Amino acid sequence: MDLNLSPSEEAFRQEVRTWIRQNLPPEWTVDRLEELKPEEAVACGRKWQERCGAAGWLGLAWPKEYGGRGATLMEQAIYVTEAIEARSPMAVDKIGLQLVGPGLIEIGTPAQKERFLGRILRGEMLWCQGFSEPNAGSDLANVQTKAVLDGDEWVINGQKVWSSDAPWADWCTLLARTNPDAPKHKGLTMLAVPMSSPGITVRPIKQPSRRAEFAEIFFENVRVPRDAVIGDLGTGWTVTMRMLTYERGLYTLVEIPRFEKAWRQEVEYARSHRRNGRALIEDATVRERLAQSYAYIQMMRLTNLRYITRYLRGVAPGEESSLMKLHWATTDQGLYDLAMALGGPASLIMLNAPRALYSGQWNADYFYSRACTIYGGTQDIHRNLVAERIFGLPR
Ligand SMILES: Cc1cc2nc3c(=O)[nH]c(=O)nc-3n(C[C@H](O)[C@H](O)[C@H](O)COP(=O)(O)OP(=O)(O)OC[C@H]3O[C@@H](n4cnc5c(N)ncnc54)[C@H](O)[C@@H]3O)c2cc1C
């Protein structure tokens, strides 16, 4: 693969840069949104998503027939890089754009594509992902939330947990057991459930960072129409795996420019701050850790490019997405552990300090990096997948 940008990709970069510069109001940049209450930040994020959607910047790589631009994944990567450089928020409906949409394009019925894809692109729906339950995390096939057909409606009862964006989502992509007599992977179905349905209670989970962007969701006799099924009846496991593959693989496109920017900020911090009478950058340990962090980011970038190349050649995302997820977590945590080490004892204060006192958004990102070894499948689960499915080792 040629890693240099082609002239048309370079022109695309300029187009993106100019558009963001002309359209992103300063009060909607990531730094300013961080100062708002979560609900207010989400409201601004939705307006930004609508603006991006109207200008055709969302679902860039989606085929044109579904409202996308049919752009290459490389162009999508360029867009994300420029957005991060400009401190632009990412689209607020991450789950709709990165999981539900691509999943529907791959396995949805024509009616489902017609019903959902355009609205996702226009920012009219915000999705959450209702997969995990108290006894179904790594062992996701153990889902106990039930959906029972009653006439022309499904009646849903059960509980989900750790559902990101649930406090403000309009729709939930819900994994439910529709056939208790079938083997556990076969009795599941994916349903599209409006979060405004009577019988749904959302209980936000407050974190040490004081954020509460994920929640428990309780379903008590919630009714949705029979055609709420995504994919086909009994294919919930396959649909889930396809969606998760997009989350673990292509989603990392968003992360690499974020890490590269944070790394540059760390270098700048090490140059401009002194400890024990000398600049931090003069400390050999600091230099070594910066170099190591840089190497990890580049390994992640190159692995991602290899992944994109395979995708462009028509190979659907597969087990190598587990490798991406493993790289992602190691890089993420190493980078922000280093940020805390650079801050030294002051980091403890910085974790709770206003962002203005500490360049970049290291405090929020440090806290969030802790979760990376858990969400999207834990490290242990991905190591098992790599061992069994890539190296062919016994279970
Ligand atoms: C920030 C964040 C956001 C999330 N967002 C969502 C969301 O939007 N929607 C959603 O549905 N879920 C979401 N999750 C939940 C996430 O998918 C689960 O937490 C994850 O799958 C692990 O499940 P668990 O928490 O039940 O842990 P468990 O499965 O109970 O695992 C506990 C420990 O045992 C280990 N373990 C378990 N089984 C094995 C095994 N077979 N071999 C080796 N080790 C094993 C695990 O690695 C882990 O260390 C989110 C989680 C986080 C942290």
Side-chain angles (χ1 to χ4, degrees):
M1 177 178 199
D2 182 359
L3 299 182
N4 297 311
L5 293 189
S6 67
S8 68
E9 286 165 347
E10 197 49 59
F12 181 78
R13 180 195 291 285
Q14 287 307 326
E15 186 190 344
V16 174
R17 191 172 288 176
T18 308
W19 188 84
I20 294 179
R21 198 183 303 130
Q22 290 171 350
N23 287 277
L24 178 64
E27 61 273 21
W28 288 358
T29 53
V30 182
D31 310 83
R32 299 285 289 277
L33 293 189
E34 284 263 319
E35 291 159 9
L36 302 177
K37 288 188 185 139
E39 307 75 43
E40 294 166 350
V42 169
C44 288
R46 288 184 87 136
K47 285 189 212 148
W48 175 236
Q49 177 165 339
E50 277 168 29
R51 192 175 285 191
C52 294
W57 293 114
L58 299 182
L60 279 176
W62 291 17
K64 287 186 179 155
E65 60 185 301
Y66 301 126
R69 277 203 182 199
T72 63
L73 281 168
M74 188 55 87
E75 286 170 331
Q76 197 174 0
I78 292 170
Y79 175 80
V80 170
T81 307
E82 288 301 316
I84 285 175
E85 281 301 320
R87 308 297 290 157
S88 151
M90 288 296 120
V92 73
D93 183 20
K94 298 181 286 293
I95 292 169
L97 284 161
Q98 282 151 11
L99 272 75
V100 182
L104 282 174
I105 289 172
E106 195 182 320
I107 38 111
T109 63
Q112 290 159 2
K113 289 176 184 168
E114 173 74 29
R115 184 169 173 208
F116 293 119
L117 292 178
R119 294 178 67 196
I120 292 175
L121 280 186
R122 289 192 298 274
E124 290 171 11
M125 336 171 82
L126 206 164
W127 288 77
C128 66
Q129 184 197 66
F131 295 177
S132 306
E133 297 182 0
N135 289 313
S138 302
D139 185 13
L140 190 56
N142 195 36
V143 157
Q144 298 299 317
T145 295
K146 287 188 184 55
V148 178
L149 208 49
D150 178 26
D152 265 348
E153 290 181 325
W154 293 103
V155 182
I156 305 164
N157 280 285
Q159 183 202 341
K160 296 290 169 180
V161 70
W162 311 123
S163 299
S164 305
D165 295 337
W168 35 78
D170 310 309
W171 286 78
C172 176
T173 175
L174 178 83
L175 186 62
R177 190 158 299 283
T178 45
N179 183 354
D181 301 323
K184 70 179 188 177
H185 290 80
K186 305 253 181 216
L188 298 167
T189 298
M190 190 70 76
L191 297 169
V193 179
M195 291 295 282
S196 56
S197 310
I200 291 187
T201 307
V202 176
R203 204 157 68 189
I205 300 171
K206 207 162 182 186
Q207 302 149 56
S209 61
R210 294 193 292 263
R211 286 160 49 163
E213 81 277 8
F214 52 22
E216 294 173 293
I217 315 176
F218 298 89
F219 298 83
E220 201 180 337
N221 293 321
V222 174
R223 288 181 169 265
V224 293
R226 183 193 273 260
D227 69 0
V229 170
I230 298 179
D232 289 317
L233 191 63
T235 63
W237 183 252
T238 315
V239 176
T240 306
M241 289 304 113
R242 295 316 300 158
M243 286 186 179
L244 287 178
T245 300
Y246 284 106
E247 180 180 24
R248 293 161 186 164
L250 301 182
Y251 187 69
T252 55
L253 272 177
V254 180
E255 297 297 272
I256 295 164
R258 179 167 78 85
F259 292 161
E260 286 179 330
K261 184 162 183 118
W263 184 85
R264 288 199 302 275
Q265 287 174 329
E266 287 182 0
V267 172
E268 196 44 52
Y269 188 92
R271 284 205 175 106
S272 57
H273 287 74
R274 299 173 75 79
R275 191 172 302 149
N276 300 329
R278 60 180 183 167
L280 283 166
I281 198 83
E282 287 169 26
D283 182 325
T285 315
V286 168
R287 286 203 303 276
E288 188 182 319
R289 288 188 69 179
L290 281 167
Q292 189 183 46
S293 213
Y294 183 79
Y296 274 120
I297 296 169
Q298 293 315 311
M299 275 196 295
M300 186 174 163
R301 193 171 78 85
L302 293 172
T303 309
N304 188 274
L305 287 172
R306 190 173 53 185
Y307 187 85
I308 289 176
T309 311
R310 280 166 58 79
Y311 187 85
L312 293 176
R313 289 183 183 148
V315 184
E319 272 73 41
E320 67 278 12
S321 65
S322 289
L323 286 175
M324 283 306 312
K325 179 66 204 324
L326 289 167
H327 269 303
W328 174 3
T330 313
T331 308
D332 196 351
Q333 294 190 347
L335 187 63
Y336 293 106
D337 284 349
L338 175 55
M340 293 300 106
L342 289 176
S347 305
L348 295 174
I349 303 165
M350 287 164 183
L351 283 176
N352 287 303
R355 296 257 316 277
L357 291 181
Y358 199 25
S359 74
Q361 53 166 32
W362 290 348
N363 42 13
D365 286 338
Y366 171 77
F367 273 123
Y368 206 73
S369 71
R370 302 298 94 188
C372 196
T373 42
I374 305 172
Y375 59 70
T378 69
Q379 296 297 86
D380 303 317
I381 296 302
H382 286 296
R383 285 195 191 101
N384 282 347
L385 287 171
V386 169
E388 289 164 20
R389 305 211 184 147
I390 297 183
F391 297 134
L393 296 174
R395 286 174 71 86

